[in-house]
Amino acid sequence: MTHAPIVPSTPDVPLSPPLPSIPAVPAAPSLAQRAHLELRAGDVAAAARLFDQHLTLRPDDARVWLDWAKAERRADPAAAAAILQRAVATVPRDPYLWHFRAACVTAANGKAAARAVFRSAMEQCPDSAVLLCAWASLEADANNADSAVKLYRRAVDTDPTDPYSYVKWAQLETRRRNFRGARAVYEAGVKNVPKIRAVVLYAGYAQLAANGRMPDKARFLYMRGAEADPKDKLIWQAWACLEEREGNVSRARELFERGVVADPSFSSNWQGWGMLEMRAGNLDAARCLFERGTRADPDDSANWQAWAQLEAGEGNVAEARRLYEEAGERIGQDARAAVMFLGWAKLEADLGNVDKARSFYRAGSIRKRERPQDLVRLLHSWAGLERKEGEAEEARRLYRRALDLNERDHRTLHALAQVELEAGEVGEARSLLRRSVKASPSDVLSVRGLAEIEAKHFAEEGGVGRARELFLRTSKQMRKPASVIRAWAGFEEQQGDAELATRLRCVAEKRSN
């Protein structure tokens, strides 16, 4: 007879009392985490000590080397470069450490020193497309286009799936006006780069097509980019701007809406959509969109600026001032706001409040992390105010500051030439206008100003002939030379040759049709 197994009954109480519940103790922050907390508190020195302690224990932690160098770079690029020199000695095969070291060395010591860093980097990381592309960009910025092209070609051969090498190369070819070459680079990129990573390629290629007056091709490329990544807010913004330029306001509105759905925190789409409504006369809608943009990112000065300009344009000066004041309180020191301060200063200058305008120009000129082109605009405008107020020396100083940021800015070169000419410094004005014409041959004001100086002050040295040669050469360089030919006609009229002036105006009329 088989007996069923005896199963002990489950006791009503546990055989032993359970351990008491102990609340989990959060792990103490690591040295690196504590360093980041110190950075948020603004104590870079304390953060540096903690980073150093962490790296003494973990010298191979490339991420922390980069974080430390980035924290130091704002105040002292040379100190950041020294940190990264230690980093690459410890982690020699990390291309990103070398890349950032080259950027810090460029800021501290110039492009020649950075070039030496790239040579050392390639010995350690010979197959890094990241380094090749960065080195190529340095050569492109140094106007060594042929060297840059060779390096970009090596980069895409090393990693045909990296989109940024193609984009940077195509942008260089565009700047060289080699549009066929740029199209070929983009075509190679969209064939080789996986679709999900190719959005930046489609956007760049579409922009090239749009600038070349091929809107249908641009639309097709934007559509391909949006298909590749529907959440990419930049592709929707660029496509919307194209449609607005083409007069398709309803379609542009739809695309901006897609952009804000893709990323409601991206304030540029709110600003672009608001500008569209403002231009369409829908001012209440524009105000609403600008307000949404300021809530999406209070540090983005573009929405504050656009909203304040709308109110100033409608005569609501008090409201415009209120918006500028609120923006000034809410925008952090690290945010880019030079253009906003420029708008605020111009508002006060137009109202005759010169001292207030100066204070806002000054506030915009000393902020951190501004783009050079924005600072150039602000300094140029400030110099114009000083010139109007009769402060020629201060205007000269501000124009020089702008040229230190961009020595090829033709508007600043032309304006400073006028200051020098008014002061009787004809030779200096002539030199500045020559630089302006070289930087921008299509700048008619500089061409005409230089021609007038040659004819008026250097006639005995062949100045009139040089002026005519300048007009002829410039008209051949321009795709649409009608404006410079009209300026040439005015020059000939001043020289007393009415018949030649008439013929030139006829030529200009034909070229403008």
Side-chain angles (χ1 to χ4, degrees):
M1 180 177 178
T2 305
H3 295 281
I6 298 173
V7 179
S9 60
T10 304
D12 294 333
V13 293
L15 296 177
S16 59
L19 293 172
S21 175
I22 301 174
V25 178
S30 69
L31 289 166
Q33 289 170 332
R34 287 166 56 196
H36 282 291
L37 291 172
E38 294 292 353
L39 284 179
R40 288 188 200 132
D43 193 340
V44 178
R49 288 192 294 273
L50 290 163
F51 279 133
D52 201 11
Q53 290 174 37
H54 173 92
L55 290 163
T56 300
L57 300 172
R58 291 273 314 276
D60 61 340
D61 194 336
R63 178 69 262 175
V64 172
W65 282 114
L66 277 173
D67 289 344
W68 185 9
K70 286 177 180 177
E72 296 285 355
R73 185 191 180 189
R74 285 186 194 175
D76 191 350
I83 291 165
L84 289 163
Q85 187 171 5
R86 291 171 55 194
V88 296
T90 309
V91 194
R93 303 287 183 184
D94 189 302
Y96 297 98
L97 289 174
W98 285 104
H99 182 190
F100 195 51
R101 184 185 171 205
C104 293
V105 168
T106 302
N109 305 109
K111 293 182 174 65
R115 201 172 282 123
V117 172
F118 278 119
R119 291 194 186 98
S120 300
M122 296 313 302
E123 292 175 6
Q124 298 294 336
C125 310
D127 298 325
S128 172
V130 168
L131 285 171
L132 287 164
C133 183
W135 189 0
S137 297
L138 178 136
E139 298 297 351
D141 290 342
N143 296 319
N144 299 324
D146 292 340
S147 297
V149 166
K150 289 176 184 176
L151 289 163
Y152 282 131
R153 186 172 286 115
R154 281 178 60 189
V156 299
D157 288 344
T158 300
D159 184 1
T161 66
D162 177 28
Y164 296 100
S165 298
Y166 294 102
V167 169
K168 293 286 188 180
W169 185 1
Q171 288 173 345
L172 171 62
E173 298 298 353
T174 302
R175 290 197 299 274
R176 298 167 77 191
R177 305 189 68 79
N178 179 16
F179 302 116
R180 181 179 296 179
R183 283 193 292 271
V185 173
Y186 278 126
E187 286 288 351
V190 296
K191 286 178 183 175
N192 293 316
V193 175
K195 192 173 181 181
I196 190 62
R197 299 182 63 202
V199 179
V200 67
L201 275 167
Y202 285 119
Y205 196 1
Q207 187 64 52
L208 180 68
N211 292 342
R213 297 189 176 183
M214 294 184 284
D216 289 339
K217 186 173 182 64
R219 282 189 189 97
F220 170 75
L221 291 164
Y222 283 132
M223 181 180 66
R224 292 289 300 275
E227 288 172 353
D229 185 1
K231 293 186 178 180
D232 189 286
K233 64 261 186 180
L234 294 173
I235 204 86
W236 296 113
Q237 181 187 35
W239 190 358
C241 291
L242 168 73
E243 296 297 353
E244 186 184 0
R245 285 196 304 273
E246 292 297 308
N248 304 320
V249 174
S250 296
R251 180 62 171 148
R253 189 177 286 121
E254 292 171 8
L255 293 166
F256 275 124
E257 186 173 5
R258 295 287 295 272
V260 298
V261 168
D263 186 352
S265 68
F266 184 58
S267 58
S268 288
N269 265 326
W270 293 110
Q271 191 245 350
W273 190 359
M275 294 295 289
L276 178 146
E277 299 298 353
M278 188 173 76
R279 285 188 284 265
N282 304 321
L283 301 188
D284 287 338
R287 288 183 178 100
C288 179
L289 291 162
F290 292 142
E291 192 270 339
R292 289 292 302 272
T294 62
R295 281 196 282 128
D297 183 1
D299 261 0
D300 184 354
S301 63
N303 279 286
W304 294 108
Q305 164 74 355
W307 190 1
Q309 282 191 325
L310 183 155
E311 300 299 352
E314 291 299 300
N316 304 324
V317 174
E319 178 65 3
R321 274 205 186 106
R322 185 195 69 78
L323 290 165
Y324 278 129
E325 286 168 2
E326 185 177 351
E329 291 171 0
R330 297 180 67 181
I331 291 174
Q333 275 297 312
D334 287 345
R336 292 171 177 165
V339 175
M340 189 205 74
F341 279 102
L342 167 61
W344 196 354
K346 288 175 76 172
L347 172 69
E348 297 297 347
D350 290 343
L351 294 170
N353 303 321
V354 174
D355 288 338
K356 273 190 175 182
R358 285 187 176 117
S359 71
F360 298 133
Y361 279 126
R362 192 172 295 109
S365 70
I366 61 174
R367 291 179 64 82
K368 302 174 183 177
R369 300 185 69 185
E370 291 292 349
R371 293 179 297 189
Q373 61 267 34
D374 292 342
L375 282 175
V376 167
R377 283 180 61 195
L378 182 142
L379 291 166
H380 183 99
S381 179
W382 186 2
L385 172 69
E386 298 297 352
R387 187 177 168 196
K388 184 179 177 181
E389 292 297 307
E391 301 291 340
E393 193 56 42
E394 180 65 5
R396 186 182 281 111
R397 185 185 70 82
L398 292 165
Y399 284 134
R400 292 286 180 192
R401 271 186 68 187
L403 290 175
D404 286 341
L405 293 167
N406 182 4
E407 62 182 11
R408 292 174 56 83
D409 187 72
H410 68 275
R411 294 178 182 84
T412 302
L413 287 164
H414 178 267
L416 180 55
Q418 298 307 303
V419 173
E420 299 295 356
L421 196 59
E422 289 165 6
E425 299 292 340
V426 176
E428 180 64 15
R430 182 196 202 188
S431 174
L432 289 163
L433 287 171
R434 282 177 172 172
R435 286 170 57 189
S436 180
V437 170
K438 185 177 180 181
S440 179
S442 62
D443 180 33
V444 177
L445 289 175
S446 293
V447 171
R448 185 170 59 198
L450 180 55
E452 288 174 354
I453 285 178
E454 292 288 356
K456 183 176 179 180
H457 297 281
F458 301 96
E460 295 181 358
E461 302 170 17
V464 175
R466 281 196 300 274
R468 288 183 173 129
E469 183 182 345
L470 173 65
F471 281 122
L472 179 62
R473 184 175 68 249
T474 306
S475 65
K476 287 180 177 178
Q477 291 174 332
M478 295 173 68
R479 292 177 66 186
K480 293 187 174 181
S483 58
V484 78
I485 295 173
R486 289 192 189 97
W488 187 358
F491 171 80
E492 295 297 351
E493 205 162 50
Q494 289 176 353
Q495 299 304 308
D497 196 337
E499 184 180 347
L500 178 54
T502 301
R503 291 207 306 271
L504 287 168
R505 287 195 177 97
C506 289
V507 172
E509 190 65 28
K510 290 178 182 177
R511 295 292 185 91
S512 61
N513 293 331

